[in-house]
């Protein structure tokens, strides 16, 4: 089922757009281009995510609560991002912040949305889970829990 057909689709739509993921063969090199072209500033060092086998770097336009750009670089030959880059597409995913990730995932699963992650897991910036593109009009959707959410404690961030 498409997320837009689900009765609790508002669980995503009421979330805040957190970041847009852009696949890149070299996050550091591309970050310099994004900074020069769009006036963005790096707001993180390169972060290695061993579960996704990627290195990521976040950029911001400096606005408070503004949407971030996440540059996502494959960290190994078997990284899903490496295969994605071979398609010549660079738009990788969109990420929404939700107050309680576990509750949101349960609600979406009940409504028939296809989940990649059935439970919150560690991500580069906090607890995350992914929704399958088949349920989101062909777009990979990441959900990240707000810093006040319960998964931050259960996953050992605090």
């Amino acid at each position: 089922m498409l997320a837009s057909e689900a009765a609790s689709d508002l669980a995503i739509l009421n979330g805040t757009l957190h970041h847009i993921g852009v696949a890149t063969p070299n996050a550091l090199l591309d970050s310099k281009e994004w900074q020069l072209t769009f006036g963005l500033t790096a707001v993180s060092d390169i972060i290695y995510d061993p579960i996704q086998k990627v290195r990521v770097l976040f950029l911001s336009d400096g606005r408070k609560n503004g949407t971030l750009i996440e540059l996502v670089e494959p960290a190994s030959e078997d990284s899903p991002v490496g295969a994605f880059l071979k398609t010549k597409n660079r738009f990788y995913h969109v990420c929404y912040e939700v107050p309680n990730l576990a509750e949101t995932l349960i609600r979406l699963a009940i409504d028939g949305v296809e989940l990649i992650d059935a439970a919150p897991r560690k991500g580069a910036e906090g607890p995350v889970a992914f929704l399958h593109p088949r349920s989101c009009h062909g777009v990979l959707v990441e959900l990240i829990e707000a810093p006040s959410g319960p998964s931050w404690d259960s996953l050992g961030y605090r």
Side-chain angles (χ1 to χ4, degrees), residues 18-20 31 41-47 56-60 68-71 93 124-125 142 144:
H18 184 269
H19 69 263
I20 296 169
S31 73
T41 303
V43 292
S44 77
D45 292 325
I46 291 185
I47 303 165
V56 300
L57 185 134
F58 288 91
L59 301 168
S60 170
L68 300 171
I69 300 294
E70 178 188 32
L71 299 179
H93 69 267
E125 279 207 319
E142 178 181 15
I144 186 167

Side-chain angles (χ1 to χ4, degrees), residues 87-132:
T87 68
K88 305 288 187 216
N89 193 347
R90 298 288 295 265
F91 174 73
Y92 187 57
H93 69 267
V94 61
C95 179
Y96 288 93
E97 182 178 287
V98 296
N100 186 315
L101 185 53
E103 285 181 3
T104 300
L105 293 171
I106 290 168
R107 206 172 17 246
L108 290 170
I110 288 169
D111 287 341
V113 173
E114 188 175 352
L115 308 176
I116 294 174
D117 299 299
R121 63 171 181 78
K122 281 195 162 194
E125 279 207 319
V128 299
F130 286 87
L131 309 181
H132 200 285

Side-chain angles (χ1 to χ4, degrees), residues 142-156:
E142 178 181 15
L143 302 177
I144 186 167
E145 187 169 88
S148 59
S151 296
W152 285 77
D153 291 324
S154 63
L155 290 173

